[in-house]
Amino acid sequence: MSIVTSPFPLARSRRLRRTDWLRDMVSENTLAVDDLIWPIFVREGSGIIEPIASMPGVNRLSIDEAVKAANNAAALGIPCIALFPYTEAKDKNPECTEAFNPDNLVNRATRAIKAAVPNIGIMLDVALDPYNSDGHDGLVRDGIILNDETLLALEKQALVQAESGADILGPSDMMDGRIGIIRQALEANDFSDVAIMSYSAKFASAFYGPFRDAVGASGALKGDKKTYQINAANSDEALREVARDISEGADMVMVKPGMPYLDICQRVKSEFNLPVFAYQVSGEYAMIAAAGQNGWIDQEKAMFESLLAFKRAGCDGVLTYFAPEVARLLAEK
Ligand code: PBG
């Protein structure tokens, strides 16, 4: 792009910043409700709305409450929710068998929401960590996270999720070869319409801490996830992951975390012509919500600014815990 400007005072940047309507008229990016995917934590029980200490304003919901939340989200125009199960210790083991139980919590929640709110999309995470007594996204033997054995478990997990009615599967485990295995399994089992949003550029990050509390994985996790998630120092590697996932059958890709990785969002969007999403993860949410609660920043403004940044970086949408608040405020505008 060639940049042509005239010298001052022929050009005055402030002319177009003078009023709200003028700023809106020339704004290059906008945030809309259909850019939002809302991650929701589900738990067992009924009538339960349980606050998560490290994510002020976010709750774990029993299935009946999650149905109400999905209904509200649909009424607000939020296109899609992502469900994450809080798994009790008794349902975790080294084989992660609960992951491929067709009647596990997240599959029951999916069926209940699909029946009650048919016009909202449901995305489910494909990864073993909620069900693993080791807290890892893959099967573990002698302290090693096993790749190929994990793929077989992920394939089974993906099929029960598709069976329960999930519209989008989000493989978030970072094993090599998972997208190909899952795509082929979906094709072979009459689930060819199920979309895959791959967590392709998923970095080993400290910003997932509150999420691991929310799903009950913090206590279980031994060590860190650096042998499978991407090193925060790398950018070319993230592009290779995206390229590979597309070649294996991903329909959409994700960059995660979001705000510390806006450069990756921009590179992915400019290199590949498919939908790109960012996940504004639990730690990013917690920073804004906690500072907001303390009166240290204006939460509402920081929230909008952080989300608009993803659009500016080229993302087509954002997974954010702020989704219902943003949707309400956008509707009032
Ligand atoms: C699990 C998973 C994680 C998140 C989404 N799926 C955590 C992790 O990889 O440890 C993080 C989301 C967030 O922090 O909001 N595979």
Side-chain angles (χ1 to χ4, degrees):
M1 182 168 56
S2 61
I3 297 176
V4 182
T5 58
S6 38
F8 173 82
L10 301 180
R12 288 182 184 269
S13 311
R14 293 184 56 190
R15 273 186 213 122
L16 299 185
R17 296 182 193 145
R18 197 168 50 84
T19 65
D20 275 340
W21 66 264
L22 197 43
R23 286 189 293 271
D24 286 348
M25 195 173 83
V26 299
S27 77
E28 298 169 40
N29 296 285
T30 49
L31 179 69
V33 66
D34 53 16
D35 297 323
L36 306 172
I37 298 177
W38 182 25
I40 297 178
F41 298 106
V42 291
R43 51 155 294 157
E44 295 290 356
S46 71
I48 299 175
I49 300 177
E50 177 186 34
I52 298 162
S54 51
M55 299 181 73
V58 177
N59 303 300
R60 295 187 196 101
L61 306 177
S62 52
I63 292 180
D64 54 328
E65 293 294 337
V67 168
K68 289 185 208 162
N71 228 324
N72 293 340
L76 286 166
I78 294 173
C80 186
I81 56 178
L83 302 179
F84 294 94
Y86 171 82
T87 309
E88 291 165 29
K90 70 172 176 52
D91 290 327
K92 297 174 195 263
N93 59 35
E95 296 79 35
C96 309
T97 42
E98 188 65 6
F100 25 93
N101 171 4
D103 288 317
N104 72 16
L105 174 63
V106 85
N107 292 325
R108 275 182 283 125
T110 301
R111 281 195 288 272
I113 293 170
K114 273 287 153 195
V117 195
N119 57 342
I120 197 160
I122 299 185
M123 170 167 166
L124 298 182
D125 231 46
V126 189
L128 301 178
D129 53 325
Y131 311 106
N132 197 342
S133 41
D134 289 287
H136 279 289
D137 294 25
L139 301 170
V140 184
R141 193 191 306 135
D142 302 330
I144 306 286
I145 290 83
L146 305 171
N147 195 86
D148 300 12
E149 290 84 341
T150 298
L151 295 181
L152 300 175
L154 296 173
E155 179 179 10
K156 287 195 271 180
Q157 181 182 23
L159 286 175
V160 294
Q161 291 175 335
E163 183 73 54
S164 76
D167 301 284
I168 303 174
L169 298 186
S172 74
D173 55 287
M174 293 302 280
M175 297 300 121
D176 289 312
R178 72 242 167 91
I179 302 302
I181 288 275
I182 293 170
R183 173 52 74 211
Q184 282 164 31
L186 292 172
E187 284 295 324
N189 288 275
D190 274 342
F191 296 120
S192 50
D193 283 342
V194 173
I196 295 178
M197 181 189 293
S198 180
Y199 287 69
S200 298
K202 178 167 178 179
F203 288 84
S205 172
F207 290 95
Y208 308 146
F211 173 96
R212 292 177 190 165
D213 295 341
V215 299
S218 305
L221 183 62
K222 300 183 180 77
D224 57 44
K225 301 191 177 184
K226 289 182 181 168
T227 69
Y228 44 106
Q229 298 177 345
I230 306 173
N231 179 349
N234 296 351
S235 172
D236 289 344
E237 184 184 357
L239 295 200
R240 290 199 297 276
E241 291 280 4
V242 170
R244 190 183 59 177
D245 286 357
I246 296 170
S247 74
E248 290 182 16
D251 305 286
M252 304 175 264
V253 296
M254 193 202 294
V255 175
K256 176 185 177 194
M259 205 148 77
Y261 297 88
L262 287 175
D263 58 320
I264 309 292
C265 297
Q266 186 166 38
R267 279 194 80 188
V268 170
K269 190 62 193 183
S270 62
E271 297 276 345
F272 303 98
N273 54 348
L274 86 175
V276 177
F277 289 77
Y279 197 143
Q280 182 179 52
V281 299
S282 55
E284 298 173 68
Y285 172 88
M287 287 194 298
I288 295 173
Q293 258 190 347
N294 279 295
W296 295 337
I297 58 172
D298 181 321
Q299 174 165 332
E300 193 178 308
K301 291 199 175 84
M303 173 181 83
F304 274 111
E305 187 176 331
S306 66
L307 293 170
L308 191 56
F310 294 115
K311 296 300 298 291
R312 196 184 61 239
C315 292
D316 295 275
V318 191
L319 290 90
T320 175
Y321 301 97
F322 287 120
E325 192 181 341
V326 172
R328 253 188 304 276
L329 290 165
L330 287 174
E332 283 168 15
K333 275 196 178 160

